[in-house]
Amino acid sequence: MIAEALVTAYVLGSDATLYEAQLSLIEQAICDEETARLAAEIGITYHLETTDALHVATALLAGCEALLTADTDFSRVRGYPLPGAPERVFKVILTQELKP
């Protein structure tokens, strides 16, 4: 997970240290049953590999409304209803779509 985020940092020309510090906390998170169930649902519905589905499920359950990534597979989950706010949807921002 940290490696994927670092790719984003490098693509954007950002300081990787900030990403490392923030994501080291996420790496320590335990995958509980709720996260696993949501990841399974997302993986099946959106044809994501398990690790990618876990990233999305973890982000959603942590209250994130968007994901910044260079991995185009994540674009499949654009529009997923946000937990607790089904009228709002999860956003996926691809680094390739950002303007320098």
Side-chain angles (χ1 to χ4, degrees), residues 1-5 26-27 35 38-39 42 48-62 64 66-67 69 71 74 77 90:
M1 187 183 233
I2 290 176
E4 283 191 47
I26 295 171
E27 282 292 323
T35 305
L38 182 57
I42 290 168
L48 288 178
E49 293 194 22
T50 301
T51 53
D52 289 347
L54 281 167
H55 289 177
V56 174
T58 300
L60 286 166
L61 294 174
C64 298
L67 178 70
T69 182
D71 186 342
F74 284 101
V77 295
F90 191 64

Side-chain angles (χ1 to χ4, degrees), residues 1 17 19 30 43 56 65 78 82 86-87 91 98:
M1 187 183 233
T17 308
Y19 283 84
I30 296 172
V56 174
E65 297 182 7
R78 282 183 174 155
L82 293 174
E87 70 283 355
K91 296 178 179 78
L98 298 175

Side-chain angles (χ1 to χ4, degrees), residues 1-96:
M1 187 183 233
I2 290 176
E4 283 191 47
L6 290 176
V7 169
T8 300
Y10 297 140
V11 167
L12 295 176
S14 301
D15 180 15
T17 308
L18 177 62
Y19 283 84
E20 289 172 349
Q22 292 174 340
L23 291 172
S24 66
L25 297 174
I26 295 171
E27 282 292 323
Q28 297 170 22
I30 296 172
C31 180
D32 60 11
E33 186 175 337
E34 181 181 17
T35 305
R37 287 180 186 278
L38 182 57
E41 174 188 317
I42 290 168
I44 291 167
T45 304
Y46 295 94
H47 308 287
L48 288 178
E49 293 194 22
T50 301
T51 53
D52 289 347
L54 281 167
H55 289 177
V56 174
T58 300
L60 286 166
L61 294 174
C64 298
E65 297 182 7
L67 178 70
L68 176 65
T69 182
D71 186 342
T72 58
D73 288 348
F74 284 101
S75 63
R76 296 181 198 143
V77 295
R78 282 183 174 155
Y80 188 88
L82 293 174
E87 70 283 355
R88 297 177 58 215
V89 296
F90 191 64
K91 296 178 179 78
V92 175
I93 304 161
L94 297 174
T95 55
Q96 302 88 314

